[in-house]
Amino acid sequence: MKNYQSNQLRNVAVVAHGGSGKTSLVEAMLFNTGTLSRLGRVEDGTTTSDYHPEETARKMTIHTSLVPVEWNKTKVNLLDTPGFSDFIGEIKGSLRVADGALFVISAVDGVQVQHEVIWDMAGEMPKFVIINKMDRENANFDKVLDSLKEKFGANFVPLQIPIGAFNDFNGVVNIMDEKAYTGDGKGKEVAVPGDLADYLATYREAMIEAAAEGDDELTMKYLEGEELTPDEIRDGFRKSVALGKVVPVMACSAIKNIGVAQILDLIAEYFPAPKVEEGPMASLIFKTIADPYVGKMNFLRVFRGQLKTDAPVLNVKKEKLEKIGQMMYVRGKATVQTEVVPCGDLAVLVKLQDTGTGDTLADKDKL
Ligand SMILES: Nc1nc2c(ncn2[C@@H]2O[C@H](COP(=O)(O)OP(=O)(O)OP(=O)(O)O)[C@@H](O)[C@H]2O)c(=O)[nH]1
Ligand SMILES: [Mg+2]
């Protein structure tokens, strides 16, 4: 895995009620990059995220997995978290190191208990919502959208709406670009279906209004009745997302891999990049596991400066120096060594002596 600049990174906590399709969605995203030769399935225990034996046995996520997806010029670090309430502690750590939360909601089951719990945990942080399982019987995008508005009262604005539902679900429309795509994977661009014209117009208006709230200049322009340029709409919308003023909503089917590649495009374009802090290195450990092959693995995010393997680091809380042995990027259970981790990126340190979840590592003599 090559190194990415901070502004090319997207750190995304994928969160939801159990069984909404997080792991299947992450798998489909990775599949679309060409990294996998076939799309794994939770049922078969063949996904990239659910690789621990207890996960394949129970067919659910128990440990948060880090799955970087390299898409166009960005690296989307997906944190596939467990939805089952017993493992709620896992989500806290992921939210601390993500720049936004991506909620996955079943188009059939709608908003469920754990969605509400996690929504509260996520507080003011930027959020995306994916309405998944559009291929299932009784899938209903509008109904879920209404219940989102009712439950959470945020400004939910569709950025990608479904073409059809259940057996007829065969594509998506991008509201920003007014483009339609059908088929799986990257799909084929087609004309926007006539029966969606009204939706498109309504949602586009809502999207422009949300974009206008992104900064004062745009707000003034909008209120004075001037038309915003396409670039202004994009920039304004991106800013509104980062400020938590708008929550974009997208539709897909993870299992059929329809609308998923288009969601990756939208994440690359509208999900906030990490904020870069210059200065002495500082990083946070958000998860520690004992891997039977690799040993103790500490997952971290670099919040300031960059992390290199050449010098010992200080565990601030425990006031102990740690020698950095191996540093690696991971994708599920796959690992690859790296010598440097840039600001904003997520990586793993192996075999640290005294360091565990919640600890901070810093440059030893530059605090
Ligand atoms: N029909 C249909 N089924 C789906 C879709 N996405 C996921 N599923 C199924 O829903 C079930 C749960 O999917 P997972 O991907 O394990 O869901 P999860 O959110 O990761 O679940 P937890 O890890 O337990 O929180 C599996 O049986 C999937 O095959 C979809 O788009 N359409
Ligand atoms: Mg899962």
Side-chain angles (χ1 to χ4, degrees):
M1 208 174 327
K2 69 172 188 147
N3 261 309
Y4 287 78
Q5 311 260 337
S6 306
N7 62 6
Q8 297 172 304
L9 299 169
R10 304 286 179 271
N11 295 317
V12 182
V14 184
V15 294
H17 193 90
S20 310
K22 298 176 290 298
T23 299
S24 307
L25 178 72
V26 166
E27 186 73 8
M29 286 181 168
L30 190 56
F31 179 74
N32 285 325
T33 66
T35 306
L36 306 174
S37 53
R38 68 187 177 115
L39 187 61
R41 292 177 62 93
V42 174
E43 280 75 16
D44 306 335
T46 50
T47 63
T48 307
S49 309
D50 288 356
Y51 65 88
H52 292 275
E54 64 267 48
E55 294 178 317
T56 48
R58 292 173 70 178
K59 301 184 185 3
M60 59 156 69
T61 306
I62 294 173
H63 302 280
T64 300
S65 284
L66 172 55
V67 180
V69 167
E70 298 174 272
W71 186 249
N72 299 337
K73 292 192 174 69
T74 54
K75 179 169 82 161
V76 183
N77 283 321
L78 297 166
L79 291 155
D80 181 14
T81 68
F84 188 48
S85 58
D86 280 15
F87 313 122
I88 188 91
E90 288 280 307
I91 295 171
K92 225 189 222 165
S94 298
L95 292 177
R96 281 182 82 178
V97 295
D99 296 296
L102 183 135
F103 284 79
V104 181
I105 300 184
S106 151
V108 182
D109 304 313
V111 178
Q112 295 170 284
V113 180
Q114 284 307 105
H115 290 120
E116 299 191 46
V117 172
I118 303 165
W119 194 273
D120 284 345
M121 286 172 74
E124 302 291 305
M125 79 192 289
K127 300 179 191 76
F128 270 46
V129 170
I130 291 178
I131 299 181
N132 183 36
K133 306 197 185 184
M134 279 306 306
D135 61 290
R136 272 189 52 191
E137 193 170 3
N138 297 322
N140 191 328
F141 182 83
D142 293 336
K143 199 169 145 195
V144 178
L145 183 61
D146 285 345
S147 75
L148 277 166
K149 289 177 180 165
E150 194 186 300
K151 287 251 160 61
F152 300 123
N155 185 20
F156 293 97
V157 175
L159 205 48
Q160 175 169 304
I161 61 172
I163 302 174
F166 185 32
N167 287 336
D168 294 332
F169 175 63
N170 67 349
V172 291
V173 177
N174 178 321
I175 305 290
M176 182 72 76
D177 303 337
E178 301 178 82
K179 284 183 176 168
Y181 303 87
T182 57
D184 63 352
K186 289 180 187 172
K188 189 172 88 179
E189 199 183 324
V190 293
V192 176
D195 60 338
L196 292 179
D198 284 352
Y199 280 99
L200 182 63
T202 308
Y203 291 148
R204 223 184 125 67
E205 198 46 50
M207 197 195 64
I208 294 170
E209 199 178 316
E213 288 174 21
D215 74 43
D216 293 347
E217 225 169 281
L218 290 183
T219 310
M220 286 303 290
K221 206 171 162 184
Y222 182 76
L223 291 178
E224 281 162 10
E226 256 188 86
E227 216 171 287
L228 307 187
T229 67
D231 278 349
E232 284 174 335
I233 297 173
R234 282 198 184 85
D235 284 352
F237 196 81
R238 191 178 301 117
K239 285 179 186 161
S240 285
V241 171
L243 293 167
K245 287 184 176 175
V246 61
V247 179
V249 181
M250 289 146 276
C252 76
S253 164
I255 288 294
K256 292 203 157 175
N257 192 17
I258 297 175
V260 176
Q262 292 77 8
I263 289 175
L264 273 174
D265 285 338
L266 295 171
I267 289 175
E269 184 140 15
Y270 299 106
F271 199 90
K275 290 192 181 69
V276 178
E277 267 196 72
E278 307 284 346
M281 191 283 298
S283 56
L284 175 78
I285 308 292
F286 64 96
K287 184 176 173 63
T288 308
I289 59 170
D291 185 273
Y293 304 104
V294 184
K296 187 169 152 190
M297 298 173 81
N298 276 297
F299 288 70
L300 61 80
R301 167 168 170 163
V302 180
F303 277 97
R304 194 178 62 203
Q306 49 175 226
L307 180 59
K308 292 186 183 154
T309 43
D310 57 0
V313 291
L314 179 70
N315 182 322
V316 177
K317 198 160 41 175
K318 299 192 173 128
E319 296 182 353
K320 291 232 164 95
L321 279 184
E322 287 275 20
K323 191 163 163 290
I324 298 185
Q326 269 181 57
M327 191 154 74
M328 47 180 59
Y329 287 124
V330 305
R331 177 178 285 135
K333 67 177 172 202
T335 60
V336 46
Q337 295 220 29
T338 180
E339 302 295 310
V340 55
V341 180
C343 188
D345 211 351
L346 310 183
V348 169
L349 289 174
V350 181
K351 292 181 184 138
L352 297 180
Q353 287 291 320
D354 299 299
T355 299
T357 308
D359 288 354
T360 307
L361 298 176
D363 266 359
K364 77 173 184 343
D365 42 24
K366 292 185 204 142
L367 278 181

